[in-house]
Amino acid sequence: MAGSGKLHLRLDSDPLLIVQDLVVQYKVNRKSFVSAVAGISFDVLRGETLAIVGESGCGKSTLGKAIMQLPRPQGGTVVLDGVDITALDGNDLRDVRPKVQMIFQDAISSLDPRLQVKNIIDEPLKVWKKGTAAERSVKVDNLLNSVGLDPVVVRDRRAYEFSGGQCQRISIARAIALDPVLLVCDEPVSALDVSIQAQILNLLQDMKEKLGLTIIFISHDLAVVKAVSSRVLVMYLGKICEVASPDDLYARAAHPYSRALIAAVPIPNPDVIVKRISVDGEPPSPVNPPSGCRFRTRCASASERCATEEPQLQEVGLGHFVACHHPVTN
Ligand SMILES: Nc1ncnc2c1ncn2[C@@H]1O[C@H](COP(=O)(O)OP(=O)(O)OP(=O)(O)O)[C@@H](O)[C@H]1O
Ligand code: SF4
Ligand SMILES: [Mg+2]
C-alpha cells in the first residue's frame, strides 16, 4: 500500500502488539513536517517474527522507535500485552519500557567504546535494580555465555576491541538482560559480512526460541527477511503497501512496489519467478507526499483513481493483504 486500512489486523488472536493508526511527524520548519509514519496499523502475534521492509527513508526506524514511544507518536495507539502504552506517562511508562528492547544496525557505535563489556551489560540491570552486584555479575556472565561469548575472555575488555559481529552479540546480551517480550531489530545484520550475518541471525533465532521472544525485524534486505520472518509488511513513504507471508510475497506479490523490490534482489530459489518491474526515479519527498496512493508517481499501473483515492488494504489471499486499486494477479 501506499494506502491505509485495518482489514489485516487479527484482533481475535490475542496479539502481543497491536498498533493502530500510528502517526509520527518530524517538524521541518514552522510550516511543514515530514510525514514519516502516516497512519499505520498492524499486529504481531506472540512468538512471531514480523519483518518490515522498504526503501531507505520509508519510515522503518521511525516506526520501530515509535513502538517504544521514542519519540512519542503524534497519533494512534500501541497496545502491548493488553496495555495501551500510548496512554501511559511517567513511572507507568517507565515500568513497561524493559518489555521492549531494540537492537541497531551499527552495534559498534551503539555501545559506549570506553566501557568494559561487563559494565555495558550490567548497566540496564543496575538501573532497574535487578539484584545485588554479585547477583548481577553472575547474570552478566550467563548472558555473555548465552550469546556465545566467553565471559572470562571478554568481560573486562572494552567495546572498541571487538569486531562488528562480536559487538552485535554484546548488544543482544544487553537487550535481553531485562527479559523483554518484544525485540525490535533495526537492520541488525546489514553492516556485517555475509558469513557473520548468518551467525547473528542464528543467534537471534536461538534467543527467540529459548526466551519465547517476539521479534520485529526491520530490513531492506529481502533475502534476509525471507530467511527469518513469518510475515512481511512492505512500507512505502510512511504507509503500508502489502502484508503477506514471505512465501506469498516472493511467489505472488500483488503490489507493484513489492514486486519491484523483489525483482531488484537476486533470489536463490529457481522456483520463484517474479516478472521484473522497475521503479523509476527517487521516492517523493515525505514533506509533500503525492495525493491518493503515495506510490503513484513511480507506478506504471497508476490510473486517475490512484491520484484521488487512497487505496485501502484488501485481502487477495489467505492472510495476504494489499493496498492497491489495481493489484497484480499472477
Ligand atoms: N529526527 C528526524 N528529524 C527529521 N526528519 C527525520 C528524522 N528522523 C527521520 N527523519 C525522516 O523521516 C523519514 C523516515 O526516516 P527513517 O529513518 O524512519 O527511515 P528508514 O526507513 O529507517 O530509512 P533507512 O533504511 O535509511 O534506515 C525520512 O524522510 C527521514 O529523513
Ligand atoms: S496501481 Fe494505483 S494504487 Fe496501485 S500502487 Fe499503482 S498508483 Fe498505487
Ligand atoms: Mg532506518
Side-chain angles (χ1 to χ4, degrees):
M1 36 193 158
S4 297
K6 297 184 195 173
L7 196 63
H8 60 306
L9 295 183
R10 299 160 296 178
L11 299 172
D12 54 341
S13 309
D14 186 28
L16 174 69
L17 183 79
I18 308 168
V19 172
Q20 293 204 61
D21 305 315
L22 198 69
V23 172
V24 184
Q25 297 170 340
Y26 297 111
K27 213 166 181 181
V28 177
N29 53 43
R30 268 196 303 152
K31 283 191 182 152
S32 51
F33 54 83
V34 171
S35 167
V37 173
I40 278 188
S41 303
F42 64 94
D43 56 24
V44 192
L45 298 188
R46 286 167 212 278
E48 185 178 31
T49 298
L50 174 77
I52 299 179
V53 302
E55 283 169 298
S56 183
C58 72
K60 305 180 296 295
S61 298
T62 302
L63 178 58
K65 289 186 217 155
I67 290 166
M68 302 182 69
Q69 307 296 291
L70 296 168
R72 298 295 288 248
Q74 277 79 18
T77 55
V78 176
V79 176
L80 177 72
D81 230 349
V83 177
D84 178 1
I85 59 175
T86 42
L88 300 181
D89 268 317
N91 283 343
D92 292 337
L93 179 59
R94 186 179 180 273
D95 287 348
V96 298
R97 282 206 189 282
K99 287 185 164 195
V100 187
Q101 294 294 318
M102 202 155 177
I103 296 170
F104 300 95
Q105 172 176 353
D106 193 354
I108 294 176
S109 61
S110 75
L111 303 173
D112 186 336
R114 298 159 306 171
L115 285 184
Q116 288 174 298
V117 168
K118 63 184 177 194
N119 293 328
I120 291 173
I121 300 174
D122 183 46
E123 194 184 15
L125 297 167
K126 207 170 167 183
V127 168
W128 291 91
K129 301 187 171 56
K130 300 286 182 187
T132 63
E135 287 164 345
R136 295 199 314 269
S137 175
V138 171
K139 172 113 186 173
V140 166
D141 284 359
N142 289 341
L143 286 163
L144 285 169
N145 272 319
S146 70
V147 297
L149 295 172
D150 182 349
V152 178
V153 177
V154 305
R155 71 190 326 276
D156 293 330
R157 290 169 62 191
R158 292 170 206 279
Y160 69 80
E161 298 177 61
F162 293 93
S163 67
Q166 287 169 322
C167 282
Q168 203 54 292
R169 287 179 190 270
I170 297 166
S171 299
I172 293 170
R174 185 179 59 177
I176 60 173
L178 295 173
D179 302 319
V181 291
L182 177 66
L183 207 54
V184 180
C185 304
D186 190 354
E187 308 266 12
V189 297
S190 304
L192 305 176
D193 290 346
V194 174
S195 59
I196 310 293
Q197 283 191 2
Q199 291 174 15
I200 299 299
L201 292 174
N202 285 341
L203 175 62
L204 282 172
Q205 185 60 26
D206 198 34
M207 291 293 111
K208 184 182 158 198
E209 280 161 22
K210 274 195 196 139
L211 307 174
L213 289 170
T214 300
I215 293 182
I216 293 179
F217 191 94
I218 295 170
S219 182
H220 64 267
D221 185 338
L222 282 164
V224 168
V225 159
K226 188 163 192 327
V228 302
S229 65
S230 31
R231 239 166 29 119
V232 188
L233 185 156
V234 182
M235 269 184 87
Y236 184 79
L237 217 63
K239 297 270 187 184
I240 302 175
C241 299
E242 189 155 7
V243 182
S245 69
D247 286 346
D248 274 345
L249 194 72
Y250 276 85
R252 55 192 77 86
H255 195 285
Y257 178 62
S258 311
R259 292 177 77 94
L261 281 186
I262 292 165
V265 291
I267 300 168
N269 178 356
D271 298 334
V272 177
I273 300 163
V274 179
K275 195 175 159 219
R276 282 195 170 267
I277 299 176
S278 62
V279 203
D280 292 328
E282 294 292 309
S285 164
V287 177
N288 186 20
S291 61
C293 173
R294 289 189 170 199
F295 186 56
R296 72 178 168 81
T297 52
R298 299 166 80 196
C299 180
S301 311
S303 65
E304 274 178 33
R305 183 181 175 202
C306 303
T308 54
E309 193 184 322
E310 185 178 25
Q312 300 293 305
L313 281 166
Q314 54 177 308
E315 193 162 18
V316 290
L318 191 62
H320 184 174
F321 298 85
V322 63
C324 174
H325 295 310
H326 312 292
V328 187
T329 50
N330 283 2

